[in-house]
Amino acid sequence: MSSDHRLYAYLNEEFLPLDSTYLHVSDLAIQRGYGIFDFFKTQNGHPLFLDGYLGRFFNSAQLMGLEVPLPAEDLKASITRLIQMNGLGDSGVKMILTGGYSENGYNPGPPNLIMIEQPLTLPSEAQQAAGIKIITHEYVRELAEAKTINYTVGIRLIQKVKALGADDVLYHQQGVVSEFPRSNFFIVRADNTLVTPAKEILKGITRKNVLELASKKYRVEEGTVTLENIAQAKEAFMTSTTKRILPIVEVDGKPVGNGKPGEVSLELLRDLIQLEEAQTSRE
Ligand SMILES: Cc1ncc(COP(=O)(O)O)c(C=O)c1O
């Protein structure tokens, strides 16, 4: 945990110094890894696309049988207050809803709601220009539509990803691709059609924004993407709140397209940055 005393966190309607915000060890998040969360970013103190993230947070809670202890409007007011107290400008805000304090280490209790805000570093221009290398792994996330706190497989694969000189790992099942542990996946076909997996995924807010932006210029499809489709693709990229659009230049040691970040990916990245800036100036 950060030792920055200036930062505050939110815990069950209280605003506390981040360094002294604790949950009891009986929480089901600790005992059984049971809970959900969501994560959005702020620019110049403004949350970006907040309604989308809040909608997904409530949906994840419902899918896991957890009740968010306050209505969306009150949650928004607490988010605004936390952002004001911390005064970070550009940041990432994580909202976590846990299984609650459990009497027997298994049955859920009333959920605990936590919010923490920390500085956020987005990929540099150099990283965008270089693109990333990825490997693939056969796995489908359980309850993929929910943003649960279970990242067991992704975290266990960190060492393998590093050992193979890669940056991330793409999940597939029998060659049908779904998503990354923390990002969504797109390919650009030779005819400039964008395709992104429709099933067994968390519906990313960045994915949604990119689909909207791309549909103004290109054909877009939410459908099936196979490893074979990637081998034929002109471009590929990942999307997430923290990565925006990150071009993928290599999959399992083989180049994607010409092995360089593609024009469509980089153009959409510029469009996305503009959309984010428009949000900030509108609010
Ligand atoms: C499993 C998973 N898929 C996709 C995403 C990307 O979603 P977003 O664009 O809303 O950050 C995330 C975000 O952390 C994720 O955890």
Side-chain angles (χ1 to χ4, degrees):
M1 186 68 57
S2 149
S3 60
D4 190 338
H5 293 274
R6 289 170 302 128
L7 289 180
Y8 286 86
Y10 168 101
L11 174 62
N12 298 333
E13 300 197 30
E14 277 192 283
F15 294 86
L16 305 163
L18 177 62
D19 281 358
S20 47
T21 305
Y22 299 106
L23 285 183
H24 190 264
V25 291
S26 66
D27 195 288
L28 220 53
I30 297 167
Q31 296 273 343
R32 304 280 171 178
Y34 201 84
I36 58 115
F37 76 108
D38 222 294
F39 178 90
F40 59 89
K41 62 186 177 189
T42 72
Q43 261 172 32
N44 301 324
H46 295 281
L48 295 184
F49 315 113
L50 183 57
D51 288 341
Y53 291 96
L54 285 180
R56 188 172 66 184
F57 185 65
F58 277 81
N59 187 48
S60 299
Q62 199 198 1
L63 287 169
M64 291 281 277
L66 297 173
E67 197 177 337
V68 184
L70 68 181
E73 281 315 305
D74 295 3
L75 187 53
K76 260 191 191 174
S78 297
I79 290 167
T80 304
R81 176 146 176 229
L82 184 68
I83 291 169
Q84 273 168 1
M85 285 174 84
N86 285 330
L88 278 177
D90 296 353
S91 74
V93 177
K94 194 179 262 191
M95 312 178 277
I96 309 168
L97 188 69
T98 72
Y101 297 146
S102 176
E103 279 175 16
N104 61 1
Y106 195 67
N107 292 350
N112 286 306
L113 177 61
I114 308 151
M115 287 195 277
I116 52 178
E117 184 186 19
Q118 295 192 295
L120 180 68
T121 317
L122 297 168
S124 65
E125 273 184 34
Q127 275 174 308
Q128 301 287 8
I132 59 162
K133 298 176 180 179
I134 63 164
I135 59 168
T136 58
H137 181 79
E138 183 131 16
Y139 174 64
V140 176
R141 281 178 52 247
E142 197 181 337
L143 211 60
E145 279 234 14
K147 196 162 163 77
T148 71
I149 58 172
N150 176 3
Y151 283 72
T152 306
V153 173
I155 293 170
R156 196 161 51 81
L157 286 169
I158 291 173
Q159 284 190 359
K160 184 176 176 190
V161 169
K162 276 197 189 145
L164 291 170
D167 302 288
D168 213 330
V169 53
L170 179 63
Y171 297 143
H172 71 94
Q173 193 177 36
Q174 295 181 341
V176 177
V177 170
S178 52
E179 62 186 342
F180 293 91
R182 296 174 295 166
S183 316
N184 292 112
F185 180 69
F186 283 75
I187 55 167
V188 183
R189 280 200 214 123
D191 67 355
N192 274 357
T193 304
L194 280 96
V195 195
T196 188
K199 289 193 185 144
E200 305 292 2
I201 58 157
L202 182 81
K203 292 210 168 129
I205 306 304
T206 321
R207 173 184 180 276
K208 176 173 163 280
N209 288 335
V210 169
L211 280 170
E212 277 170 20
L213 290 169
S215 67
K216 293 182 185 158
K217 297 178 174 174
Y218 306 104
R219 260 173 59 93
V220 298
E221 278 177 23
E222 292 178 74
T224 304
V225 179
T226 64
L227 295 177
E228 183 55 34
N229 295 149
I230 303 175
Q232 310 294 328
K234 199 170 80 161
E235 301 180 26
F237 59 85
M238 65 160 59
T239 64
S240 81
T241 303
T242 50
K243 301 284 191 318
R244 288 184 169 133
I245 290 174
L246 201 47
I248 296 162
V249 294
E250 196 179 293
V251 178
D252 288 332
K254 289 177 230 112
V256 177
N258 66 4
K260 296 199 178 99
E263 271 171 35
V264 174
S265 312
L266 295 175
E267 185 191 8
L268 288 170
L269 172 61
R270 286 191 292 273
D271 291 352
L272 181 63
I273 292 172
Q274 262 182 22
L275 184 72
E276 290 179 358
E277 277 162 8
Q279 269 258 317
T280 313
S281 52
R282 206 164 48 78
E283 279 163 6

